[in-house]
Amino acid sequence: MTDDRRARVLLTPAQLMAAVVGDAPPTILAVQSVSPYTGRISERGRRVPGAVDAEAYTDFCGPPSATGGQRPLPDIAALQANARRWGLRRDRMVVVYDDDRNMTAARAWWVLRWAGLPDVRVLDGGLPAWLAAGMPVGHAPGRPMPSVVELSPGHMPELDADACLALARRGVLLDARIRPNYIGGRAAAGQPARGHIPGALSVPAHDNFTDPGPFADGETLAELYRGLGADGTRPVGVYCGAGMSAAVTVLALAAIGIEAGLYVGSWSAWASDSRRPVATGASPG
């Protein structure tokens, strides 16, 4: 593990500030959201100066479907239109952040990389880390000059249901949901099955973080994933409930130099087909 490897995907507040005052300042996206669980609005009137607003659950997700899951990938033409409005360029670093330990910004990072932008990074610890570091604070969204960037899909490794089941047998398949969802159990009438993909290993996305919010250091992350068999010698894949928190784990793995595929549809797509096997309990099954 090297700091350079981590810095290719995660920036500390000091590193981002150095880039902002440098010769080629990055375009910064503040990934806003309304929590689907609590209704909490992330926007609080404070931001990294110049950051442009993007919306986690609309800009980086498409409409739900049975086959694609609850939060499938966005239409590439719609994403390209947004990227142009945000002023994104292929020759300029893009930095994304949110105010919740990057639980949604990680999805933005993954989608923008999937769409072909070569240099996308995440502010480690998000807005709370920026504020805690005493960095300058802005209050109004940035006004970028629109770009003519062209995007195309398929630049990040993806998994489908069949690939996940195969990977659980021959590689490492990680389930990034909270443990009760992994353990599962009896589902209410008319509701999807509860449990996990047989052979998947439980590693909740929040395990990637320190208590204050930044990602754990490289040695800690490497030890965490080494214990699960994700040490760079076997293929790795990640899923969650609907492809959001799994992106956090893909990002954490990238920070220690391990490439992982993402099952975008995740459990919401898997459980939509009653013919697919479901394991329950605390063991992989």
Side-chain angles (χ1 to χ4, degrees):
M1 272 68 61
T2 67
D3 288 341
D4 287 346
R5 182 176 296 173
R6 185 182 178 102
R8 292 188 197 118
V9 292
L10 291 171
L11 293 179
T12 66
Q15 288 169 330
L16 176 54
M17 191 65 207
V20 167
V21 300
D23 294 334
T27 301
I28 304 172
L29 295 184
V31 181
Q32 308 291 2
S33 65
V34 176
S35 170
Y37 309 107
T38 66
R40 175 179 172 270
I41 300 172
S42 67
E43 171 60 46
R44 291 289 186 271
R46 295 186 295 177
R47 65 184 57 240
V48 175
V52 180
D53 281 337
E55 212 290 326
Y57 295 103
T58 56
D59 294 336
F60 303 106
C61 303
S65 69
T67 57
Q70 194 173 3
R71 298 190 183 102
L73 290 171
D75 174 74
I76 192 67
L79 181 64
Q80 179 174 278
N82 282 328
R84 291 179 173 185
R85 176 171 56 85
W86 297 327
L88 306 190
R89 295 163 42 184
R90 295 184 63 83
D91 62 350
R92 188 66 58 90
M93 183 197 304
V94 179
V95 179
V96 296
Y97 75 88
D98 61 30
D99 79 333
D100 184 22
R101 300 195 285 185
N102 293 309
M103 289 298 295
T104 55
R107 168 73 176 228
W109 165 80
W110 193 93
V111 168
L112 293 173
R113 289 295 316 281
W114 166 84
L117 287 173
D119 190 2
V120 185
R121 311 191 200 191
V122 177
L123 173 60
D124 196 6
L127 183 61
W130 182 264
L131 299 175
M135 296 298 180
V137 177
H139 298 282
R143 295 177 173 271
M145 180 175 292
S147 74
V148 293
V149 69
E150 294 188 3
L151 303 182
S152 60
H155 298 270
M156 290 287 274
E158 300 174 59
L159 302 171
D160 60 15
D162 290 340
C164 280
L165 193 58
L167 190 59
R169 300 189 185 110
R170 63 178 177 82
V172 181
L173 181 64
L174 304 175
D175 184 319
R177 297 173 298 164
I178 60 174
R179 290 279 290 177
N181 288 347
Y182 174 89
I183 292 169
R186 183 177 300 175
Q191 295 300 307
R194 299 179 60 236
H196 56 271
I197 297 174
L201 303 171
S202 177
V203 54
H206 284 89
D207 286 0
N208 292 298
F209 302 120
T210 62
D211 283 342
F215 281 81
D217 64 86
E219 290 296 337
T220 299
L221 289 174
E223 182 64 22
L224 169 64
Y225 289 106
R226 189 181 301 119
L228 296 165
D231 57 3
T233 63
R234 303 161 69 193
V236 179
V238 190
Y239 74 95
C240 59
M244 298 293 285
S245 58
V248 173
T249 295
V250 174
L251 175 60
L253 287 163
I256 57 173
I258 296 176
E259 182 180 79
L262 175 66
Y263 180 20
V264 177
S266 284
W267 190 254
S268 61
W270 181 275
S272 70
D273 187 341
S274 60
R275 296 170 297 179
R276 293 191 182 120
V278 173
T280 57
S283 62

